[in-house]
Amino acid sequence: MRRGGLERLAPLYLAQALATGATTVSTILAALVVGNLGFTSLIGLPATLISASAALSAGLFGALMLSRGRRFGLASAFALGAAGAGLGFAGARAGLLPVFLLGASLMGAAQGGYQQARYAAAESVPEAHRGTALGLLMLMSVVGSLLMTGFSGAVERLGAALGTSPEVAGWLVGGGLLGVAALLLLAWRPVAGPAGGARKARPRLAATFRQPGVRSTALALATAQGLMVTLMSLTPHRAHEMGVSHAGVAVLISVHIAGMFGFGWLTGPLIDRLGVRLGYGGGAALLAVAALTAPLPGTTPLGLSMFLLGLGWNLTFVAGSKALSRWPAAQGVTDGLGYVAAGAGTLLGGVVIAAAGFPALAYGCAVLSLLPLLSAWRAGGR
């Protein structure tokens, strides 16, 4: 990819890193905030609201970007996230659970919009380099997460200065980061609107999904997202039953995040060179191995499972996002389907574990992980 293309994308990449940092220090801590407020039985509610709000907003933000452009849509999403984080901070500090949950819902709605930055990155470069652009964007997610992890001490000091907990202060920090991300979009100059002029002749959604390749691409993206979130969310429960400490669970999550985002520099160019079929086929294989490895005894297989789960998601997600960059009208709805799959997977996964145990869930996920092979077949030689 030409140097000029990278320089053009710098504000977008930096904004995405800040958004990831905001998610790290705020929404991930939402369960702790609710627990500290005395509502232990509702600690899972913020995550549910965030996923539901993202699912509902993704299509709306996709339509907004088609009509008003990427920069306006992404800036609006970042600004909405900043407002939601600020509201969540105010609600948590005042001990008002409904206000905090409203802020969490707005943060989720914002994620449904700014996660579509990957399509903006892909559109900014020639199609032959779109995998590389997407991989680098994922790598920036690692940068943002590590940056905020390194500043955890500063967040603790801010909480002490404000007379509140670090978890609550994290929401204020997250709002500030998203506000800066919105401002960064002012310095970004998109090459064109979605798909280089899709706003002039926007196809109807139904017509878009009838085009060859759209439904199979959406299937791959929704499957990867649903399986990844389901196993990522419920594997810590498996680890806890095995006697793994909280520190050990944190290591498992770190290994998983490394698999998700740390190899974008490799998987993106690889898909550019060898085609999206590699992403679908390789991703399906890794997701299946991850699911089959998870029930094995011992912490080493569990760690390997979490890493392969992240890497399999990465391959499928980069390939699917590159393919979907040609169909802007389907992007927001497809992202929404991914959030729905994730929410349904975690909900049903808990039921399966309660009724038949974790291995039954893992083996079911292994079967479903083969669905992207259909996408690989439909992709032909692309």
Side-chain angles (χ1 to χ4, degrees):
M1 186 160 51
R2 295 188 304 271
R3 181 178 175 83
L6 288 174
E7 292 174 348
R8 181 186 293 275
L9 287 170
L12 183 64
Y13 282 160
L14 183 54
Q16 192 69 9
L18 293 176
T20 303
T23 301
T24 300
V25 300
S26 56
T27 56
I28 290 179
L29 303 174
L32 295 177
V33 172
V34 173
N36 291 339
L37 290 176
F39 298 93
T40 308
S41 62
L42 299 178
I43 59 173
L45 185 55
T48 300
L49 291 175
I50 289 170
S51 294
S53 298
L56 292 172
S57 72
L60 297 176
F61 272 110
L64 179 64
M65 291 178 201
L66 279 173
S67 62
R68 298 292 301 274
R70 292 292 187 197
R71 185 167 67 162
F72 181 85
L74 290 172
S76 298
F78 288 131
L80 178 63
L87 189 62
F89 166 76
R93 190 179 186 190
L96 300 174
L97 182 63
V99 176
F100 174 74
L101 293 177
L102 177 59
S105 298
L106 293 179
M107 281 284 283
Q111 289 181 39
Y114 65 68
Q115 291 298 338
Q116 295 181 51
R118 66 188 194 276
Y119 299 122
E123 292 163 359
S124 299
V125 299
E127 185 169 355
H129 300 297
R130 288 182 174 179
T132 300
L134 289 163
L136 289 175
L137 188 71
M138 288 187 166
L139 193 59
M140 292 305 295
S141 295
V142 177
V143 173
S145 180
L146 292 177
L147 181 66
M148 287 304 101
T149 301
F151 278 92
S152 59
V155 176
E156 290 181 2
R157 290 191 293 272
L158 175 63
L162 296 174
T164 188
S165 69
E167 293 81 14
V168 174
W171 280 75
L172 183 61
V173 173
L177 293 176
L178 287 168
V180 174
L183 293 175
L184 278 171
L185 266 292
L186 298 177
W188 177 52
R189 295 291 182 269
V191 174
R199 285 179 287 175
K200 296 180 180 179
R202 280 174 282 163
R204 293 184 179 275
L205 184 62
T208 299
F209 271 88
R210 284 196 296 268
Q211 295 184 44
V214 177
R215 283 175 291 186
S216 58
T217 300
L219 174 67
L221 285 168
T223 299
Q225 184 71 9
L227 292 177
M228 184 275 292
V229 172
T230 298
L231 288 175
M232 177 193 69
S233 301
L234 299 177
T235 294
H237 176 77
R238 162 77 170 179
H240 179 72
E241 288 186 331
M242 294 170 59
V244 178
S245 66
H246 289 294
V249 171
V251 171
L252 289 176
I253 296 299
S254 297
V255 168
H256 172 66
I257 292 175
M260 286 180 66
F261 300 118
F263 291 84
W265 58 272
L266 175 62
T267 57
L270 199 61
I271 289 169
D272 279 337
R273 184 177 180 83
L274 300 178
V276 299
R277 295 183 73 181
L278 170 72
Y280 295 146
L286 290 175
L287 289 170
V289 173
L292 292 173
T293 305
L296 297 179
T299 56
T300 299
L302 208 57
L304 178 62
S305 171
M306 291 294 279
F307 175 76
L308 295 178
L309 179 68
L311 188 58
W313 173 86
N314 179 293
L315 276 167
T316 309
F317 212 66
V318 171
S321 297
K322 177 178 178 175
L324 205 63
S325 66
R326 292 178 291 154
W327 300 296
Q331 292 165 1
V333 173
T334 299
D335 278 10
L337 292 174
Y339 289 118
V340 170
T346 52
L347 180 63
L348 295 176
V351 175
V352 171
I353 290 175
F358 182 84
L361 171 67
Y363 297 146
C365 287
V367 173
L368 293 174
S369 68
L370 300 179
L371 287 175
L373 293 178
L374 175 62
S375 305
W377 174 65
R378 295 284 294 177
R382 294 195 299 272

